[in-house]
Amino acid sequence: MKTISTAKAHGGIQGVYSHHATSTACEMTFAVFTPPVAEGRKAPVLWYLSGLTCTHQNVMDKGEYRRLAAELGVIVVCPDTSPRGEGVPDEKDSWQFGCGAGFYLDATQAPFSANYRMYTYVTDELPALLAEEFPQADMERQGIFGHSMGGHGALTIALKHPDRFRSCSAFAPIVHPSTAHWSIDAFTKYLGEDRNAWREYDAVSLIEDGKRFPELLVDQGAADGFLDDGLQPWLLEKACADAGIPLTLTMRDGYDHSYFFISTFMDDHLRWHAERLKA
Amino acid sequence: MKTISTAKAHGGIQGVYSHHATSTACEMTFAVFTPPVAEGRKAPVLWYLSGLTCTHQNVMDKGEYRRLAAELGVIVVCPDTSPRGEGVPDEKDSWQFGCGAGFYLDATQAPFSANYRMYTYVTDELPALLAEEFPQADMERQGIFGHSMGGHGALTIALKHPDRFRSCSAFAPIVHPSTAHWSIDAFTKYLGEDRNAWREYDAVSLIEDGKRFPELLVDQGAADGFLDDGLQPWLLEKACADAGIPLTLTMRDGYDHSYFFISTFMDDHLRWHAERLKA
C-alpha cells in the first residue's frame, strides 16, 4: 500500500492510499478517515460507496462526514467506483458505463471481466488490505452505506453479507438496476443478456429471492431529477414490505441528487450506523 | 445577475451567481448560502474570502460551513479571488500572481489596473449587488473572514472598515504581504516599486499606521508548510500587542494549510461571528 496523502482533520487523519489490486488487475486508490482512537483501541469501520462518475475523492471533499465520524469514533473507508488506468476497457463518452461506473459487480463478459470486478474488490480484497494496514480497524464491527450507484452497492452487499455488516443505509440508491434505464446498458455489457444473472446485483431482486437484512435506512431527495426513471425508491419500499424488512425511507422535500443533499443528511446516517456499531 | 445554480442544503439554499462587474471589467462568479429565514426577516452577512488559486467553489465544496450557518441563521458570501476571462492579463505559470491571485487590492500598474480591482469589487460593487438581489441580507450586520490570501483580505478590509464589519477572523492569513516571499512579486506588479503604496494592503502595516479593529480571531496550523516564510502570524501578534488590539491566535498542532484544517475550525469561526452579528 502506498500513502498518497494524509492530513489532520477534525482531530483524526484523512488519508488517501493506493495499491495494486489483484481482483481488478490495476492500481486502485481509496480514502480512509481514521478518527482519534486511544492507543490500542479499535474503531468500527463504515464503508461509503460512491455514485456514478465519482472517485474516492467526491465524498472526501463534499461529504462532510469527518466532524461527526471523529466525534463518534468511526473509521470511514471510501473506495473508488471502478478500475481505472491504461489497459482498462472504457467508453469515454458514457458516464453510465466503464470507468466511474463499476456498479459493484463482478463482470462476466469479455473484455470487461478482466478488470471490472468491483464486487470482489470491495468485499474481499480491500477489506483484507484494510485489516492488515489499519490495526485500529475493528473488522468485527462493520457498516456500509453509499449514494446512488453506491447506494445500490451498499444495499446489495449488505443483503448478501448480513453476518458481516451490522448496519446499512443509502442516499438516493438505485434500488432496482435491472429495470432502471441508466443501468440496463451497463448490466448487459458486464453480465450478458441473461437477466437471471443480474438478480445477484439488484437489491429488489435479492429481497424477492430471499435475502434479508435486519433494517434499512434510506433518504431520498424529492426534487431529485433521477427519481422517477432511475431510482424509484417505492420499488424497494414494496419489496421490504413484502419481505418484512423494516425500512425507514424518508422523502426530503426540495433536495436534489447532489452532495448538497448527501452532506445535509450525513449526520443522520452516521448516527444510525454508530448506534448499531458501538455495541 | 445570472443564477448559475441553486441547491437546497442543510435547510437553506446554496447558490452560485454571476454578473458583469464594472470594477473588474469582466464577468464575476460568486457563491451565496442563504440559511432558512422566516418570511420578512433578515439575516447577517458573513463574507468569506478565499486563498491563492481558489475560486468561489473551493470553500463551497470543502468548507463545511452550511450546517452551522443554517443553524445560526447567517448568510455566507464567497466571492472569487480575481478577475478572469478573455482580455484579463494573466501569468499562466504563476499561482501567486494574476488569475486566482488578486490579493483583494486595486492595482495601479498597467496592464493590471484595468481588471485587478478586487478591493473595490469586494468592498463596493458586490455588496451593492448583494443588497439589491438578496433582500434578506442585513447589510447593517456584516462580518468578514478568509483563508491565507483571503485572510489577508479579511484583515485589511476589516481594519479599513471597522464601522461596517462587526467581526473579523482568519485561517492562516498572510498578515504581512509586503515582506512575505510569495506576495512581493505580486505587490510589485500590481502596485509598483514604491513600498509605501503597499501599506494600504498589508494588515501589519495598517495597524502600524493606526488602523484598529475591536478584536481579531486567527487560527493557524502548526504543520502549515507556509508558516515560516509566508504567514508568520507572530508579526500580527506583535502588531496587535503594540496597538492594544485583542487577538485570539491559536496554533493548531498537526494541521496544515488545507481545507482539512479550515473545515475543522469552521464551526469555531462561525460561532465567533454569529455571537458578534446577532446583537
Side-chain angles (χ1 to χ4, degrees):
Chain A
M1 185 180 83
K2 283 188 289 199
T3 299
I4 294 176
S5 65
T6 61
K8 191 169 177 181
H10 292 281
I13 299 292
Q14 179 64 66
V16 179
Y17 311 91
S18 76
H19 67 125
H20 182 82
T22 309
S23 50
T24 58
C26 68
E27 192 78 7
M28 296 291 293
T29 303
F30 62 98
V32 179
F33 176 70
T34 48
V37 179
E39 187 71 29
R41 293 295 296 272
K42 291 197 167 211
V45 175
L46 181 56
W47 295 82
Y48 178 91
L49 304 183
S50 292
L52 287 164
T53 77
C54 291
T55 68
H56 67 284
Q57 194 174 343
N58 303 67
V59 69
M60 188 178 85
D61 285 351
K62 304 179 189 175
E64 302 186 13
Y65 58 79
R66 280 177 290 273
R67 178 187 50 80
L68 192 57
E71 186 185 316
L72 297 170
V74 174
I75 293 170
V76 180
V77 184
C78 307
D80 202 347
T81 56
S82 77
R84 294 179 195 272
E86 250 185 277
V88 173
D90 187 21
E91 292 185 4
K92 295 251 181 281
D93 294 337
S94 173
W95 59 277
Q96 297 170 325
F97 179 75
C99 290
F103 276 96
Y104 307 101
L105 51 74
D106 282 353
T108 56
Q109 306 296 300
F112 310 110
S113 51
N115 304 97
Y116 286 84
R117 299 183 66 230
M118 288 299 291
Y119 180 75
T120 295
Y121 175 70
V122 164
T123 60
D124 285 349
E125 188 166 4
L126 190 53
L129 183 77
L130 194 80
E132 192 181 309
E133 297 280 357
F134 293 83
Q136 68 273 56
D138 185 352
M139 305 306 281
E140 301 300 312
R141 292 185 291 157
Q142 294 187 60
I144 190 163
F145 69 153
H147 170 235
S148 196
M149 178 182 74
H152 142 76
L155 292 169
T156 52
I157 288 171
L159 284 162
K160 295 204 266 189
H161 297 276
D163 295 337
R164 184 190 301 183
F165 296 102
R166 295 193 191 180
S167 55
C168 175
S169 77
F171 304 101
I174 305 175
V175 302
H176 198 18
S178 307
T179 64
H181 79 97
W182 59 8
S183 35
I184 288 176
D185 179 61
F187 272 48
T188 306
K189 286 175 182 158
Y190 289 138
L191 300 171
E193 298 282 353
D194 177 8
R195 295 199 174 200
N196 279 319
W198 299 12
R199 301 184 69 82
E200 272 298 286
Y201 301 109
D202 183 307
V204 165
S205 302
L206 284 167
I207 294 170
E208 288 171 354
D209 293 347
K211 298 292 186 192
R212 295 293 180 267
F213 200 80
E215 48 182 340
L216 298 169
L217 172 69
V218 172
D219 278 284
Q220 171 64 55
D224 187 325
F226 301 111
L227 186 55
D228 290 327
D229 60 355
L231 302 169
Q232 306 180 84
W234 42 88
L235 300 178
L236 180 67
E237 197 167 36
K238 180 176 184 311
C240 284
D242 291 348
I245 299 174
L247 165 68
T248 306
L249 167 65
T250 311
M251 300 300 293
R252 300 295 185 174
D253 190 41
Y255 286 92
D256 64 17
H257 198 65
S258 73
Y259 272 93
F260 295 115
F261 157 66
I262 299 169
S263 61
T264 299
F265 299 101
M266 180 58 77
D267 279 14
D268 294 347
H269 284 242
L270 290 173
R271 289 190 197 283
W272 166 278
H273 288 277
E275 279 169 21
R276 286 151 185 82
L277 292 169
K278 279 296 177 187
Chain B
M1 185 180 83
K2 282 189 289 199
T3 300
I4 294 175
S5 65
T6 60
K8 191 169 176 182
H10 292 281
I13 298 293
Q14 179 65 65
V16 178
Y17 311 91
S18 77
H19 66 127
H20 182 82
T22 308
S23 49
T24 59
C26 68
E27 191 78 7
M28 296 292 293
T29 302
F30 61 99
V32 179
F33 176 70
T34 47
V37 180
E39 188 71 30
R41 294 295 295 273
K42 291 197 169 211
V45 175
L46 182 55
W47 295 83
Y48 179 92
L49 304 183
S50 292
L52 288 163
T53 77
C54 290
T55 67
H56 68 283
Q57 194 174 343
N58 302 67
V59 68
M60 188 178 83
D61 285 352
K62 304 180 189 176
E64 302 186 11
Y65 58 78
R66 281 176 291 272
R67 178 187 51 80
L68 192 57
E71 186 184 316
L72 297 170
V74 175
I75 293 171
V76 181
V77 184
C78 307
D80 201 349
T81 56
S82 77
R84 295 178 195 273
E86 251 185 277
V88 174
D90 188 22
E91 292 185 5
K92 294 252 180 283
D93 294 338
S94 175
W95 60 275
Q96 298 170 326
F97 179 75
C99 290
F103 276 96
Y104 306 100
L105 52 73
D106 283 353
T108 56
Q109 306 297 300
F112 309 109
S113 50
N115 303 97
Y116 287 84
R117 299 183 66 233
M118 287 300 291
Y119 179 76
T120 295
Y121 175 70
V122 164
T123 60
D124 286 348
E125 188 166 4
L126 190 53
L129 183 76
L130 194 80
E132 191 180 309
E133 297 280 356
F134 294 83
Q136 68 272 57
D138 185 352
M139 305 306 282
E140 300 301 312
R141 293 184 292 157
Q142 295 186 60
I144 190 164
F145 68 152
H147 170 235
S148 196
M149 177 182 75
H152 143 76
L155 292 169
T156 52
I157 289 171
L159 284 162
K160 293 203 268 188
H161 298 275
D163 296 336
R164 183 190 302 184
F165 297 101
R166 296 195 191 179
S167 55
C168 174
S169 76
F171 303 102
I174 305 176
V175 302
H176 198 20
S178 306
T179 64
H181 78 97
W182 59 7
S183 35
I184 287 177
D185 179 61
F187 272 48
T188 306
K189 287 177 182 158
Y190 289 137
L191 300 172
E193 299 282 351
D194 177 8
R195 295 201 174 198
N196 279 320
W198 300 11
R199 301 183 70 82
E200 272 297 286
Y201 301 109
D202 183 306
V204 165
S205 302
L206 284 167
I207 294 170
E208 287 172 356
D209 292 347
K211 298 292 185 192
R212 295 292 180 266
F213 200 79
E215 49 182 338
L216 298 170
L217 172 69
V218 171
D219 278 284
Q220 171 64 55
D224 186 325
F226 302 111
L227 186 54
D228 290 328
D229 60 356
L231 301 169
Q232 306 180 85
W234 43 86
L235 299 177
L236 180 66
E237 196 166 36
K238 181 177 184 308
C240 283
D242 291 348
I245 299 175
L247 165 69
T248 306
L249 167 65
T250 312
M251 300 300 291
R252 300 295 184 175
D253 189 41
Y255 285 92
D256 64 17
H257 198 64
S258 73
Y259 272 93
F260 294 116
F261 157 65
I262 298 168
S263 61
T264 299
F265 299 101
M266 180 58 76
D267 279 13
D268 294 348
H269 284 243
L270 289 174
R271 288 190 198 284
W272 167 278
H273 288 277
E275 278 167 24
R276 286 152 184 82
L277 293 170
K278 281 295 176 188

